Amino acid sequence: LGFGDDAPRPDAAIYGLNEYQVYAHNLWPNNEKTIQFPTASKIHDKEYDNQEQLFPAYSTQRIINRTIDFIQDRIAESSKKNFLINVWLQNSHAPLNIALDYDQCGDNGYPDEANPFYIYQGLHNKQRRLSDALPLQVYRALAREHSRGVGRLVDFVDQAGLGEEVLFVYTSDNGPESTHKYFIGKGSTDPFRGDKRSLYDGGIRVPTFVRWNNHIPEERTVMTPASTIDIFPTLVRLAELNVDTANDIDTVQGRDLSCLWLGQCSDSQWIDSLRNDPNIKNEGEIIWEWREDYRGDCLSWSARFAVRWDRYKLHLQPQDKDEKRVTKTTVWSRIELYDIINDSLESTNLHVVRQGDPQVSSTVSYMMGLLVNYTASSAYDVSKWPKSTIDNRDWTRVDFELGTDCHDFDDNGNYKDPDAIISIPEAEYLTIVS
């Protein structure tokens, strides 16, 4: 719902929420931690204390229970069944802790007697001496509990006879946390390069499942890249709301995916519809930007911008790190072009290996133009800018290896401490040559 001292609180009118429950810590004055919403049948907590040490252990159960309570109240109001719920599950987000009052790992199918449980205190502490079995066990157990919680919610909706009325959209925000930052971050992005905070596909390519009984065809796979910003205009269309996209929601940048979800058009037909819609002016491209610093595996440290168009993905880093809106005259310190269909690892930079190829040159130029047009538009927000941004070290180096923490290099690209380089099994060794 927003972050920072200037963000409106969850009860602000701007959000239009009937009920809410947030992860927070001492958000409310005078210790007002509970509330009786007019639309709720009982008193609920306003927030879950996300600084409570065992909050991660019980968060999935609490959030699913709260969601079911809300739906039960809507069912009881037979004339007011329509609802929209945003359910943000904590796990497997850091920090990850397990319960003390029962065998939570064992209950989720991951017992390991060789590794006694303990409560992890620090978020950034790298305790390399610990066996990988314990972090992996905790991560998998809480991830499975997450999955079981979602299943419990779906089963409740079906048993309530709402399976054909409720549309489920399940997705994630980014790839898993790097083990360099959090040692229980054991999520895998295989076969993709990158992790959380990276614009390589391992950091931004996440699965999405959509379910609406007797409306959306079962077991259908759509390969067209999309973004979470596409969900809102899609729901507007599916709900048959009378909204003029060009005027009423002019700041919404997403695209309507409804014909793809409902199986009413092919991927290519959908792209054609975007090109022919004067209100969208989109060629099917998706643009990402990461303005903050990155801490993690060196091969995951991406450029500031990434553009996906057709089968290609372009990574761009302006040489001037203070240049906010890029232009046709921007000087780039990094240019990487990948055929994402044939090179999901993003390991073969076509801008280098096919230098001088007219097709590659025209593709890079065209995709640069898409980015330039976007940053020149009113949709591009430059109001929020980090105090420190990614640096401009020499990315032509060929000896960045998987498992190497980029913060182990100084600004000249030299190792600060050779002993700090993390050793990995030879089978996992990989060198990217740009």
Side-chain angles (χ1 to χ4, degrees), residues 60-190:
T60 297
Q61 300 170 37
R62 290 175 178 175
I63 295 167
I64 296 297
N65 289 342
R66 179 66 179 90
T67 305
I68 290 175
D69 283 346
F70 180 85
I71 298 175
Q72 285 178 326
D73 285 345
R74 304 290 74 73
I75 294 174
E77 300 172 349
S78 57
S79 62
K80 299 179 180 179
K81 278 189 177 180
N82 294 339
F83 56 81
L84 172 67
I85 309 176
N86 249 340
V87 183
W88 302 103
L89 295 173
Q90 150 74 21
N91 296 333
S92 53
H93 193 286
L96 298 177
N97 281 331
I98 54 174
L100 292 179
D101 57 351
Y102 76 103
D103 183 3
Q104 190 171 20
C105 287
D107 187 59
N108 284 282
Y110 294 99
D112 188 349
E113 296 179 358
N115 293 280
F117 302 138
Y118 71 105
I119 299 300
Y120 182 58
Q121 300 284 354
L123 179 61
H124 305 293
N125 188 6
K126 300 178 183 178
Q127 300 192 33
R128 304 290 181 187
R129 63 184 181 277
L130 292 173
S131 166
D132 280 349
L134 174 59
L136 186 61
Q137 176 180 318
V138 173
Y139 184 91
R140 286 180 172 175
L142 294 179
R144 183 156 191 251
E145 185 164 89
H146 172 122
S147 177
R148 293 169 72 185
V150 173
R152 184 160 64 91
L153 177 58
V154 172
D155 288 344
F156 170 79
V157 168
D158 287 347
Q159 292 166 9
L162 299 177
E164 295 185 14
E165 300 179 48
V166 174
L167 166 66
F168 285 94
V169 181
Y170 177 90
T171 189
S172 181
D173 52 355
N174 47 249
E177 185 67 88
S178 168
T179 54
H180 291 261
K181 186 173 180 64
Y182 184 48
F183 84 107
I184 294 187
K186 289 296 180 180
S188 171
T189 63
D190 183 55

Side-chain angles (χ1 to χ4, degrees), residues 3 125 168 262 272 307 354 412:
F3 180 77
N125 188 6
F168 285 94
L262 298 174
D272 288 340
V307 181
R354 289 173 55 183
N412 296 319

